[in-house]
Each structure stands twice: as C-alpha cells, then as structure tokens.
Amino acid sequence: MNMKLPKSSFLLLFPSIFLLFLSSCNKEFKSNDYRAYFGGEVTNPTNRFVYFSKNGVVIDTIPLQKDNTFFIQFDSLTPGMYSFKHDPEYQYVYFDKNDSIMVHINSKDFDESIIFCGRGDTKNNYLMESYLKYKSDKEKMFDVYDKDISKFTSNIDATYKTNKRCYNVHKNEIKWSKEFDAFAKASLDFNYYSKKELYPVIHKLRTAEDVFEKLPNHYYDYRKNIDFNDLELSTYSPFVIYLSQLLNNVGAVKYHNHFSDVDLALTTNINKLNIADTLIKNEKVKNSILNNIAFSYLLEDQNMVNNQKFLESYRKFSTDNSKKNEILKIGNAIQLLIAGNQLPEVSLIDKDGMTVSSNSFVKKKTVLFFYTKEALTHLAAAHKKALAFKLKYRDYQFIAINLDKEQDEWIDLLSNYKFEGIQEYRCANFEDIKNKWAITKIHRALVLDENGKIKNAFTNLFDVKFENDLK
C-alpha cells in the first residue's frame, strides 16, 4: 500500500526553504502583484533537475539542491495550468494568483507519491486524486469492453455518477475558480467520453462483434457540446486523448469490402488526418492529434508504400517540426521490422541481473510480449494468454519483457505470480528497445520464426487473429 506523507512531516523534510515558503503563504499581495512560489523534494531522483512547463514548453529549469529539494520564486506568474517534470515522468499543477505550492515526489512511484501543500494545495490534491482514481478505473475496465452495450453503459454511468458527486462536493468545499473548474470538469467528463468512444472499437477487436449499428441514437449526443478548439485545454491530456478516440470513430471507413486490409488502414488514417484538419483550427491541439494519429498508424501498418503515402499527408497537415522528426524517426525504424527481416538486436537483463542479447534466444520460434508494473491487470492477462497458447503451440517459446527500470522491484513483482514456462526478461534500455522495436505501448507482441526472422512485429496477444501468425 502506498503511504502519503502527512503535510506536517512533508514540510519538515526541508527546513532550509520552509521559512521562506511559509512567509510566502502568509503574505498579503497587492492586486497587481502576481508573484508565486513553487518548490518541493524529489526522493530517489533520476537527475538533478525539475522542469517547469506551460503548454509543453519548458519555461524554467529548477536545479535540485544537495538535499534533493528545489525552490523557485516567480516574479510574475500568469494563473493557469502548468506541468512539472522530473525525467521521464510529469504531472500537472494549477496556479491561481499568488499561490505558493510545494510538492513531494518519489521518482520510483511518481504519480502515487505526489502530495501538494501550501497556498493552492487543495485543488491540486483533488486533481491528483481524481487522476489516480482514473488510473485505477482504467485497470478495472479491461473486461468491461467485452460486455453488451447495456451492461457497458450501466458500468461507466455508475462510475461517472460517483465521480461527479465527488467533484461537486470538492467544488463546493474548496470554492475553486471558474478557470480551474474548466480543467476539473474536463478531467471528469473527457475520461468518461473516451470510454464511450473506445467501446465500439475495443469491443469489435476483442469479440469480433460490430456494435456500431446497435448503439442507441442518443449515444454520442455529448459531442454536440464540445468545443474542439479550446485554447486552455489544448495540451491537457484528458482532452487530447479524447480527441484521438473520437477520430478513431468518425474517421472509420464505412465500405470496408472495397479495400484490402492495408489499403483500408491507409484510407482510414488519411481520413482521420483530413477530419482533424477540418474540425480543429487551434494549431497546438491539431498538431497533438495529428501526432497521435501518426504514432498509431505507423505502429500498425507494415506496408512500406502506404507508409510513405501516409507520411506525405502527415507532412501536409502538421506544422509541429519538433514532433515531426520523431514521427519520421519511428517511420524509419518500422521499415526494419517488416516480415522477413532479422529482428534488430537489443540488450535485455535476466532475473540474475546478467545482460543478455536478444539474439541469443531467437534460435527457435518465438513470441515476445511486454508488460509493466503500472498495468497489473494486463500483466496477468497477457501471461495467462501466453500460457494458453504455449500449451497448444509447443514449438514456440514465449518470452515476456518487463519495461520498468528497477531490477529489485521487477523481481519482487514476479514473486507474486507463478508463470512457469514463460521466459522472463527486463529491458536494459527502454529508449533502445523503443527505437529498434518501435515499442511505445505494452499491447504489442512480436512473432519470429526459427531463424529469428520476423513473421509479424505488430500483433497483439488479444487480437482475435493472433493465432494465425503461429500456424
């Protein structure tokens, strides 16, 4: 169980800046004075900096002191949503006028460790608790998408009503600003809307049943009230994620039988690019969504000619030069993962802490799949699927690769399970495995032949067609 520090204990961890911070909390500010303060402590730091950003752009780099604390005074800070990052993790923090906020961070358990204190803490702690509820709820949703429309709707409506009651209670107690409420309400609503957009897509993938025609006429009524060009929400993840899910639905091509599978994927995703360009006028929102579409498409399609056609359309619509380079880099990496190619070598770590080359175990038919401690439901379900396939396809070896950073935590995690027959490794360098195997999500599996050559590098243990790659 994760234990959050009491606020009193939290502040005493760094007395050197506590007095300055306390004086800022008690200070009276003039109407034209927009000074604000931000500080805290990082336990188990991964580097010596905390990055403070607005709309994804770093506006201050704050160094850690020898005692792993940090503190900064802003002479003038415009009220609004900001983010702080201690590589590779980040989280949001909202500042009203003259807020003085401190935060505790443990890099080994980033989200779960965060607690705010000081002037402006209550609204931020509410937003953090809401995010953790959403993460927990997301885990529980794994099997809900398999249910029929009535049971699915009942499930998500009940959760939404519970969360809305919590939102209303905190809103009345804290009496937060109208500007902050836009983010609190967005977190509540768009997480709910995303489930509704995801349902027909995931249900079909998991059960092969197309439920689009069975959805009630009012199912998507909420779309009518959404401002797709909201400047304040343009980089807020619940909003951006929802827009991505929406485009997966409205960009679908109706006349599936007119296309081969690869051409259908190309047509659908170029269609999504066009719709995003038409629907979204705000450049930041649009670029974020275009990048999400590109990531998704490039990780699913293996047709090199179609990839180039897609990237041509992407370049036409996107103005995000920094992200564009990353998209093109992934596009180049994917060309190395086409069927028939040798799987690029990466370094892995075994349970004894020894470094192992991926080339050492590809001398027989192999299935590689991935997991993390952040998604325990997927961890168990993926291993269960792999064990079932192993019983049926005994000529295959099944290799599970953990994507987390800490060796001891990984070993402790495995001690809670019995996955006999599955070979377990941990990635030695996530950036290397991401760049060479294009791993950006855990719901991926790679199937290799007995010579270590790729049969399918973009499949999924839960795909109804997965078994075809093993025959």
Side-chain angles (χ1 to χ4, degrees), residues 69-126:
T69 62
F70 64 95
F71 188 78
I72 187 170
Q73 173 183 321
F74 299 101
D75 293 333
S76 181
L77 188 69
T78 303
M81 184 66 80
Y82 294 82
S83 65
F84 56 93
K85 181 176 184 180
H86 184 68
D87 280 334
E89 307 281 0
Y90 80 96
Q91 224 2 295
Y92 292 104
V93 59
Y94 190 92
F95 276 83
D96 280 312
K97 182 177 179 292
N98 303 133
D99 274 350
S100 301
I101 298 174
M102 300 196 78
V103 61
H104 172 262
I105 306 165
N106 186 337
S107 68
K108 289 189 175 182
D109 203 11
F110 192 86
D111 292 329
E112 286 75 8
S113 71
I114 289 175
I115 182 172
F116 298 96
C117 72
R119 188 202 302 261
D121 62 344
T122 52
K123 60 180 178 288
N124 282 294
N125 281 323
Y126 164 76

Side-chain angles (χ1 to χ4, degrees), residues 90 92 131 190-191 233-243:
Y90 80 96
Y92 292 104
Y131 173 73
F190 286 113
N191 287 327
L233 296 179
S234 63
T235 58
Y236 190 47
S237 61
F239 180 63
V240 174
I241 290 170
Y242 167 73
L243 287 178

Side-chain angles (χ1 to χ4, degrees), residues 208-239:
E209 179 190 15
D210 191 337
V211 295
F212 280 97
E213 300 300 325
K214 299 179 182 179
L215 299 177
N217 292 333
H218 60 274
Y219 185 79
Y220 293 118
D221 278 357
Y222 58 87
R223 291 177 179 173
K224 301 173 185 177
N225 301 316
I226 297 174
D227 178 4
F228 292 103
N229 296 285
D230 191 311
L231 291 170
E232 292 301 313
L233 296 179
S234 63
T235 58
Y236 190 47
S237 61
F239 180 63

Side-chain angles (χ1 to χ4, degrees), residues 187-423:
S187 178
L188 171 72
D189 289 342
F190 286 113
N191 287 327
Y192 171 66
Y193 298 158
S194 289
K195 294 176 185 177
K196 300 199 74 168
E197 299 289 349
L198 278 169
Y199 172 67
V201 177
I202 295 182
H203 188 83
K204 185 176 181 180
L205 175 67
R206 298 276 299 276
T207 69
E209 179 190 15
D210 191 337
V211 295
F212 280 97
E213 300 300 325
K214 299 179 182 179
L215 299 177
N217 292 333
H218 60 274
Y219 185 79
Y220 293 118
D221 278 357
Y222 58 87
R223 291 177 179 173
K224 301 173 185 177
N225 301 316
I226 297 174
D227 178 4
F228 292 103
N229 296 285
D230 191 311
L231 291 170
E232 292 301 313
L233 296 179
S234 63
T235 58
Y236 190 47
S237 61
F239 180 63
V240 174
I241 290 170
Y242 167 73
L243 287 178
S244 298
Q245 310 301 355
L246 168 68
L247 290 170
N248 285 337
N249 281 346
V250 298
V253 177
K254 292 183 178 179
Y255 303 104
H256 293 185
N257 58 329
H258 293 184
F259 300 93
S260 65
D261 287 344
V262 292
D263 288 340
L264 175 62
L266 174 66
T267 304
T268 298
N269 282 278
I270 289 181
N271 193 26
K272 291 196 298 192
L273 294 177
N274 277 286
I275 293 170
D277 184 63
T278 302
L279 182 68
I280 305 167
K281 300 306 178 186
N282 178 265
E283 188 174 293
K284 291 180 179 178
V285 179
K286 183 191 299 185
N287 282 332
S288 178
I289 296 303
L290 293 176
N291 289 336
N292 287 341
I293 295 170
F295 273 120
S296 178
Y297 175 74
L298 292 173
L299 292 176
E300 292 174 1
D301 184 65
Q302 298 180 64
N303 184 292
M304 294 301 106
V305 174
N306 284 359
N307 272 348
Q308 294 307 311
K309 290 179 181 178
F310 174 82
L311 290 170
E312 287 173 11
S313 293
Y314 169 80
R315 291 188 193 100
K316 182 172 70 173
F317 295 123
S318 176
T319 60
D320 188 346
N321 293 322
S322 60
K323 285 289 185 181
K324 189 179 298 181
N325 291 333
E326 189 172 348
I327 296 295
L328 296 177
K329 184 178 180 180
I330 287 181
N332 292 333
I334 287 171
Q335 292 188 48
L336 301 176
L337 297 174
I338 61 175
N341 278 10
Q342 200 77 26
L343 183 69
E345 182 183 18
V346 302
S347 293
L348 302 170
I349 298 175
D350 66 18
K351 288 188 283 188
D352 296 322
M354 303 297 294
T355 300
V356 178
S357 166
S358 61
N359 287 346
S360 66
F361 54 68
V362 292
K363 296 179 181 178
K364 64 180 296 187
K365 295 178 180 179
T366 303
V367 172
L368 299 146
F369 64 99
F370 307 87
Y371 68 96
T372 169
K373 66 181 176 65
E374 300 299 332
L376 296 180
T377 302
H378 171 265
L379 182 161
H383 279 80
K384 184 177 179 181
K385 274 281 188 182
L387 288 169
F389 284 127
K390 183 174 175 59
L391 288 175
K392 190 172 181 181
Y393 298 94
R394 297 182 180 277
D395 53 337
Y396 276 88
Q397 60 178 346
F398 286 78
I399 296 175
I401 299 177
N402 176 265
L403 300 177
D404 299 321
K405 294 185 296 183
E406 299 296 329
Q407 180 77 5
D408 291 343
E409 290 183 4
W410 172 52
I411 298 301
D412 288 342
L413 179 67
L414 286 178
S415 69
N416 297 320
Y417 302 92
K418 290 185 178 180
F419 299 132
E420 296 180 6
I422 305 294
Q423 297 181 45

